[in-house]
């Protein structure tokens, strides 16, 4: 047991039990942000479901079961939404348990890791570099403890914490070690609002969701007057029975409801979460999936991203002094460091301490800002270890030799002896170089392929590291990455414009401070880029927080994982291509689905409005609309929503969707109405002829709607052509084969009379008129597709290029 543990042993088991009974525990919101009941309620009790239910009951009252089949959409929509969101919730919860940081809590004098929910009021929590403060507290022990509170206060400089000082949850340790007593836990602590916020399953604050909400608001405002006009006209002008009037009202109103748009949007997001979860990627904020699709610059830290976290001792090159004394000094430095980083751990493994440890009279923990650490050992001297170009004399022998060794891609540290205590205000003072410590770092085997993927996808990679620029350039060069200029960040201009220009043009940066990483992200964003920042260390926290998409390594610092939108739990850089591809698939397919449903809603509203203005009976009953929905929208949209899609998403989602869907909806509606006018007069007024006119009009709508599907499915692949062919065959059989089979079925099973589709394609003249009108509409839709692509700058191709095919 350490002296600190003897002095401050923490709570006893009895005290912990007492606080648990009193409810003084660190209860936090659910990791996924929504309970099971929240998910069920959100998917069942929706405005769309209420509207469909009302129409379902109304149509069912007529006794026509076949026309009420659309009611199963309520069960289908809610069921699929609930199942997929519950799957996503389970994925998020299980991954969050693995990925979240666990505090080191001291109880009965023994420190051990606990789940964050197990912390109680008064617990003593030990902290060190990279640890996040998970609850509010008062510092009890501190050894050169520095805490970064910039995420809370905006203060960029780390704060030195002495015993008695307060620490706030959400801050993180950048240097030193210490312990604090929890004074506020659970909902009372700032952690309940900050750290839990990172794990919410949400669909907010994204261009995509904002665009869909605007579409739904537009549809809602159009539905009210058109719906009222339709009900009035069909009830007062329709000469049929009350059942005929109700079916006409249902046939007009049902297709106006964009029931699939919200379902398939949430479905695509939820499936994206599950797919990424299967690759050990924790999605901490759902809108991050949208960010994945838009990323065009990836800022990658070298250590832990391109190279593995662990380091191996390579060699010791003595510059001045006795090698035996230098080796002992290195062993003492490694043994005295309370929270050694990867470099010090490599030294400790190679040079284990033999004999008693030297008395520590001063300590300066390593920070990314100053790039050195040191310990004063009284009469044994003041020893410092860090970057040769920081501790050494510029242009000196040690610096030049370190540059030469670093050009091979190895990490080089300078061991020096200072003339003043390392914790003095002017430390390190004058440093006498004693030796160069060469450490080996292993390049991740998957790094080359990952960088090649980004190059193929027009995603720029910026390697940003705190290491020597020459060493970083050597590593990236060995991976075949053509990043252009290699820049030492200490030479970057203070002028924001010049700084942004250099960051834009160069690809490798060394000796970058945490503050500069943050500036680089901001500079790239100011140039219009969507930036992903990857990292694993505490020095990456601020840049990850400010980036459009923060990606943390699972083995990285707890603070880094807490602020990132994505956590790669297996630390595999090779996962990133799959992550980006998944984001593109989700967003690209949701845009495609939006084109389907907005077009359908627009032509339904406009057709209903035209019929109401002319005072005509509505040409369709609900089952007709269901046929159109199944074969031109529902089935293909469900397939395309989950299909591969590698095209990078671009801003302007709402504009692109509107440019295609609104004019296409107008064309389909007008063509269908014109066909109705052309066939309704020759058909006459008897029920049989009216059914023939309705069937011919349905053919127009089916052909025009099918062409919307055909152009929205582009660029083509073999499976898309199969999908189009199957949907076309099913539509053909429904119109031209099914009506001739129903009489025989009803004769054999009379109860099937309730399922009569009310179709009659026997009038060749009317069907020909309907077909040609539909073909004309298809030609206009084709023209709109090409024109909208040129107007919005969207690439238009019929076939997917061979290199992009699955």
């Amino acid at each position: 047991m350490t002296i600190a543990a003897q002095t401050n042993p923490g709570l006893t088991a009895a005290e912990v039990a007492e606080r648990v009974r009193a409810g003084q525990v660190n209860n936090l919101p659910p990791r996924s942000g929504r309970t099971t009941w929240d998910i069920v309620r959100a998917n069942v009790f929706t405005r769309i479901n209420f509207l469909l239910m009302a129409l379902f009951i109304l149509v069912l009252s007529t006794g026509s079961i076949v026309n009420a089949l659309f009611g199963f959409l309520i069960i289908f929509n809610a069921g699929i939404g609930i199942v997929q969101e519950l799957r996503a919730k389970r994925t998020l919860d299980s991954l969050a348990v693995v990925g979240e940081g666990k505090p080191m809590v001291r109880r009965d004098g023994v420190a051990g890791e606990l789940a964050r929910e197990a912390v109680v009021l008064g617990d003593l929590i030990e902290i060190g570099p990279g640890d996040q403060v998970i609850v509010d507290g008062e510092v009890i022990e501190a050894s050169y403890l520095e805490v970064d509170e910039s995420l809370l206060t905006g203060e960029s400089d780390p704060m030195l914490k002495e015993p008695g000082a307060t620490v706030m949850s959400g801050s993180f340790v950048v240097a030193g070690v210490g312990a604090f007593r929890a004074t506020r836990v659970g909902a009372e602590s700032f952690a309940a609002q900050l750290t839990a916020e990172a794990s919410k399953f949400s669909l907010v604050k994204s261009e995509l969701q904002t665009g869909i909400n605007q579409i739904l608001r537009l549809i809602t405002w159009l539905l009210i007057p058109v719906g009222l006009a339709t009900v009035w006209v069909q009830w007062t002008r329709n000469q049929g029975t009350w059942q005929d009037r109700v079916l006409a009202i249902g046939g007009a109103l049902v297709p106006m409801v964009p029931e699939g748009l919200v379902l398939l949007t949430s479905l695509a997001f939820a499936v994206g979460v599950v797919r990424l979860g299967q690759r050990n990627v924790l999605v901490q904020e759902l809108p991050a999936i949208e960010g994945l699709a838009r990323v065009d610059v990836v800022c990658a830290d070298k250590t832990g991203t391109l190279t593995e976290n662990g380091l191996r001792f390579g060699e010791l090159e003595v510059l001045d002094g006795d090698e035996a004394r230098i080796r002992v000094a290195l062993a003492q430095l490694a043994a005295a460091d309370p929270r050694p980083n990867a470099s010090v751990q490599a030294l400790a493994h190679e040079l284990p301490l033999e004999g008693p440890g030297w008395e520590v009279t001063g300590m300066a923990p390593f920070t990314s800002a100053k790039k050195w650490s040191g310990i004063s050992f009284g009469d044994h001297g003041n020893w410092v270890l860090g970057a040769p170009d920081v501790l050494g004399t510029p242009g000196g022998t040690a610096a030049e030799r370190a540059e030469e060794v670093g050009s091979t891609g190895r990490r080089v540290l300078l061991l020096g002896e200072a003339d003043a205590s390392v914790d003095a205000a002017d430390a390190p003072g004058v440093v006498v170089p004693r030796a160069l410590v060469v450490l080996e770092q292993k390049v991740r085997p998957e790094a080359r392929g990952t960088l090649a993927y980004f190059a193929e996808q027009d995603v720029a990679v910026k390697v940003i590291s705190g290491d020597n620029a020459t060493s970083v350039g050597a590593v990236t060069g060995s991976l075949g990455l053509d990043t252009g200029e290699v820049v030492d960040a200490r030479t970057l201009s203070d002028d924001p414009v010049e700084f942004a220009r250099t960051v834009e043009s160069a690809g490798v940066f060394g000796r970058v401070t945490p503050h500069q990483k943050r500036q680089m992200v901001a500079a790239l964003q100011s140039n219009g880029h969507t930036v992903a920042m990857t990292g694993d260390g505490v020095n990456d926290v601020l840049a990850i927080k400010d980036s459009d998409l923060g990606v943390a390594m699972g083995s990285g610092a707890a603070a880094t994982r807490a602020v990132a939108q994505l956590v790669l739990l297996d630390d595999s850089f090779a996962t990133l291509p799959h992550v980006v591809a998944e984001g593109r698939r989700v967003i690209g397919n949701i845009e495609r689905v939006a084109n389907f449903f907005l077009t359908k809603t627009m032509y339904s509203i406009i057709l209903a409005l035209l019929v109401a203005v002319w005072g005509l009976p509505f040409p369709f009953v609900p089952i007709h609309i269901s046929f159109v929905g199944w074969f031109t929208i529902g089935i293909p949209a469900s397939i395309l929503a989950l299909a591969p899609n590698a095209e990078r998403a671009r801003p302007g989602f709402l504009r692109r969707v509107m440019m295609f869907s609104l004019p296409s909806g107008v064309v389909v509606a007008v063509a269908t109405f014109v066909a109705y006018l052309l066939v309704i007069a020759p058909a006459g007024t008897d029920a049989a002829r009216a059914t023939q006119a309705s069937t011919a009009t349905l053919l127009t709508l089916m052909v025009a709607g099918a062409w919307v599907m055909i152009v929205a499915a582009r660029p083509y692949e073999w499976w898309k052509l199969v999908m189009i062919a199957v949907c076309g065959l099913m539509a053909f059989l429904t119109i031209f084969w099914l009506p001739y089979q129903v009489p025989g079925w009803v004769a054999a099973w009379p109860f099937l009379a309730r399922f009569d589709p009310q179709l009659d394609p026997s009038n060749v003249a009317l069907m020909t008129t309907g077909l040609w009108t539909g073909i004309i509409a298809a030609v206009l839709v084709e023209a709109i597709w090409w024109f909208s692509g040129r107007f919005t700058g969207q690439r238009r191709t019929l076939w997917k290029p061979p290199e992009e095919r699955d």
Side-chain angles (χ1 to χ4, degrees):
M1 184 182 299
T2 64
I3 295 175
Q6 293 174 349
T7 307
N8 299 300
L11 299 178
T12 65
E15 289 172 329
V16 171
E18 180 183 346
R19 283 162 171 75
V20 171
R21 286 193 297 270
Q24 297 172 332
V25 294
N26 192 39
N27 289 329
L28 295 175
R31 292 181 179 86
S32 60
R34 301 176 73 179
T35 64
T36 300
W37 170 242
D38 289 335
I39 291 173
V40 172
R41 182 176 55 193
N43 282 278
V44 173
F45 302 108
T46 66
R47 283 178 294 180
I48 288 177
N49 281 352
F50 277 126
L51 183 56
L52 287 176
M53 179 59 73
L55 292 172
F56 172 72
I57 294 173
L58 194 64
V59 171
L60 199 60
S61 67
T62 67
S64 178
I65 298 177
V66 70
N67 282 298
L69 290 179
F70 70 88
F72 289 102
L73 284 173
I74 303 171
I75 300 173
F76 184 75
N77 286 358
I80 287 185
I82 290 170
V83 169
Q84 290 300 337
E85 284 205 42
L86 286 177
R87 285 185 66 196
K89 172 182 167 60
R90 284 196 299 270
T91 301
L92 285 173
D93 287 349
S94 61
L95 292 179
V97 170
V98 177
E100 71 181 12
K102 294 183 178 180
M104 185 69 70
V105 181
R106 190 188 304 166
R107 291 176 178 173
D108 289 318
V110 179
E113 286 188 345
L114 292 179
R116 56 181 184 168
E117 292 89 347
V119 174
V120 299
L121 187 68
D123 258 329
L124 198 63
I125 303 171
E126 297 182 357
I127 48 177
D131 289 343
Q132 188 180 36
V133 179
I134 64 161
V135 294
D136 303 339
E138 177 186 357
V139 177
I140 305 298
E141 303 165 6
S143 176
Y144 309 97
L145 181 64
E146 293 184 5
V147 177
D148 192 315
E149 299 178 338
S150 58
L151 298 179
L152 309 178
T153 65
E155 173 60 50
S156 59
D157 296 327
M159 306 295 293
L160 183 65
K161 297 292 184 178
E162 302 286 353
T166 59
V167 288
M168 297 292 292
S169 52
S171 58
F172 56 93
V173 181
V174 295
V177 294
F180 70 94
R181 193 177 304 281
T183 56
R184 287 191 296 181
V185 297
E188 295 182 358
S189 74
F190 197 74
Q193 302 148 28
L194 185 71
T195 57
E197 184 70 22
S199 298
K200 285 188 177 178
F201 183 91
S202 59
L203 279 170
V204 296
K205 295 181 181 178
S206 71
E207 182 194 351
L208 184 71
Q209 194 62 27
T210 300
I212 289 176
N213 287 337
Q214 290 175 333
I215 291 173
L216 292 176
R217 278 196 295 271
L218 171 65
I219 291 172
T220 300
W221 283 109
L222 291 174
L223 275 176
I224 295 173
V226 175
L228 291 175
T230 298
V231 172
W232 172 258
V233 169
Q234 296 306 315
W235 195 259
T236 59
R237 302 289 183 88
N238 196 314
Q239 301 301 313
T241 64
W242 72 268
Q243 289 94 338
D244 294 331
R245 298 175 188 176
V246 168
L247 291 179
I249 291 172
L253 296 183
V254 168
M256 297 184 194
V257 182
E259 74 288 339
L261 180 58
V262 176
L263 167 69
L264 291 179
T265 299
S266 59
L267 175 63
F269 272 119
V271 170
V273 169
V274 174
R275 284 181 173 177
L276 290 176
Q278 292 170 346
R279 294 188 177 274
N280 286 318
V281 178
L282 171 60
V283 182
Q284 303 207 95
E285 295 180 32
L286 200 59
I289 291 183
E290 180 175 344
L292 296 174
R294 305 188 192 283
V295 165
D296 60 355
V297 176
V298 173
C299 295
D301 185 27
K302 176 180 71 69
T303 306
T305 303
L306 301 182
T307 62
E308 295 181 353
N309 279 318
L311 294 171
R312 295 191 304 271
F313 182 85
E315 59 181 292
L316 181 67
E317 188 171 319
V318 177
L319 301 173
D320 181 18
D322 178 58
E323 182 174 352
R325 178 171 179 264
I326 290 172
R327 286 182 173 272
V328 171
L330 283 171
Q332 293 287 347
L333 279 171
D337 194 329
R339 293 290 286 265
N341 57 23
S343 300
V344 177
Q345 288 175 6
L347 290 176
H349 183 268
E350 177 68 20
L351 303 169
L353 183 62
E354 297 177 358
W358 295 345
E359 180 185 0
V360 176
T361 58
M363 183 178 292
F366 176 85
T367 64
S368 298
K370 68 176 189 289
K371 302 193 183 305
W372 63 269
S373 64
I375 300 178
S376 293
F377 294 108
D379 294 338
H380 294 287
N382 308 301
W383 294 90
V384 292
L385 183 69
D389 45 357
V390 173
L391 294 176
T393 303
T397 303
E400 290 183 353
R401 177 57 184 160
E403 188 80 8
E404 181 182 344
V405 177
S407 64
T408 63
R410 293 178 291 176
R411 175 176 290 188
V412 184
L413 301 177
L414 173 66
L415 175 68
E417 202 165 357
D419 66 344
S421 178
V422 297
D423 56 355
D426 58 348
V430 178
V431 176
V432 178
R434 295 301 186 193
L436 293 178
V437 179
V438 182
L439 302 174
E440 306 285 348
Q441 48 191 351
K442 185 179 180 182
V443 175
R444 290 185 181 273
E446 70 273 14
R448 179 183 291 271
T450 303
L451 294 177
Y453 168 84
F454 285 132
E456 293 171 0
Q457 297 295 320
D458 295 325
V459 177
V461 177
K462 307 285 184 181
V463 180
I464 302 174
S465 176
D467 286 353
N468 177 275
T470 304
S471 175
V472 179
V475 171
T476 54
S478 69
L479 295 172
L481 179 62
D482 182 14
T483 53
E485 185 182 2
V486 178
V487 177
D488 188 320
R490 293 171 298 183
T491 66
L492 288 173
S493 172
D494 291 331
D495 177 58
V497 176
E498 182 63 23
F499 183 92
R501 187 199 66 77
T502 305
V503 172
E504 180 76 25
S505 61
V508 177
F509 300 87
R511 293 295 179 229
V512 184
T513 65
H515 180 64
Q516 284 179 318
K517 287 188 179 183
R518 196 177 196 180
Q519 282 182 301
M520 289 177 177
V521 169
L524 290 167
Q525 290 171 328
S526 69
N527 288 336
H529 293 294
T530 302
V531 183
M533 178 73 199
T534 70
D536 65 340
V538 68
N539 58 316
D540 301 316
V541 170
L542 299 180
I544 286 177
K545 183 68 176 177
D546 287 355
S547 66
D548 298 288
L549 181 68
V551 183
M553 298 295 172
S555 63
T560 310
R561 298 196 304 271
V563 300
Q565 286 89 13
L566 299 176
V567 180
L568 308 182
L569 296 175
D570 57 2
D571 287 352
S572 176
F573 187 50
T575 306
L576 276 182
H578 301 289
V579 170
V580 172
E582 187 62 29
R584 292 182 175 183
R585 183 195 65 77
V586 170
I587 303 307
N589 291 340
I590 288 176
E591 182 169 328
R592 199 189 305 273
V593 167
N595 280 320
F596 278 109
F597 286 99
L598 183 56
T599 300
K600 185 206 77 166
T601 299
M602 290 310 300
Y603 72 61
S604 301
I605 290 175
I606 295 172
L607 179 60
L609 185 61
L610 291 173
V611 170
V613 169
W614 260 258
L616 298 172
F618 197 75
F620 308 126
V621 292
I623 187 58
H624 297 161
I625 298 302
S626 296
F627 289 148
V628 176
W630 293 344
F631 305 133
T632 69
I633 299 171
I635 294 174
S638 299
I639 295 172
L640 293 172
L642 305 178
N645 192 334
E647 185 177 354
R648 188 170 71 212
R650 296 175 296 114
F653 158 78
L654 184 61
R655 178 168 169 262
R656 288 193 301 274
V657 170
M658 290 290 191
M659 279 296 300
F660 174 74
S661 301
L662 294 186
S664 296
V666 171
V667 165
V668 174
V670 171
T672 304
F673 183 68
V674 168
Y676 185 40
L677 292 180
L678 291 176
V679 300
I680 190 67
T685 57
D686 65 274
R689 301 284 283 182
T691 300
Q692 292 176 351
S694 176
T695 306
T697 307
L698 179 63
L699 181 60
T700 300
L701 179 59
M702 193 76 82
V703 171
W707 206 260
V708 172
M709 170 193 70
I710 288 170
V711 298
R714 293 170 181 165
Y716 297 135
E717 295 179 79
W718 69 267
W719 61 266
K720 290 183 181 178
L721 296 179
V722 171
M723 175 196 74
I724 292 171
V726 170
C727 289
L729 176 62
M730 296 300 294
F732 176 84
L733 293 177
T734 298
I735 295 178
F736 293 98
W737 177 80
L738 182 63
Y740 295 111
Q741 308 306 313
V742 169
W745 294 346
V746 171
W749 300 288
F751 73 92
L752 289 179
R754 292 175 174 268
F755 295 90
D756 183 3
Q758 303 178 46
L759 293 173
D760 182 1
S762 60
N763 192 317
V764 176
L766 298 186
M767 295 298 288
T768 302
T769 301
L771 177 61
W772 277 109
T773 311
I775 291 174
I776 294 171
V779 171
L780 294 175
V781 168
E782 179 75 19
I784 290 170
W785 184 74
W786 287 102
F787 176 78
S788 65
R790 295 187 62 181
F791 191 82
T792 60
Q794 197 170 17
R795 185 180 65 172
R796 294 303 197 201
T797 56
L798 292 178
W799 299 94
K800 179 175 283 191
E803 64 272 12
E804 294 183 12
R805 295 176 191 170
D806 302 316

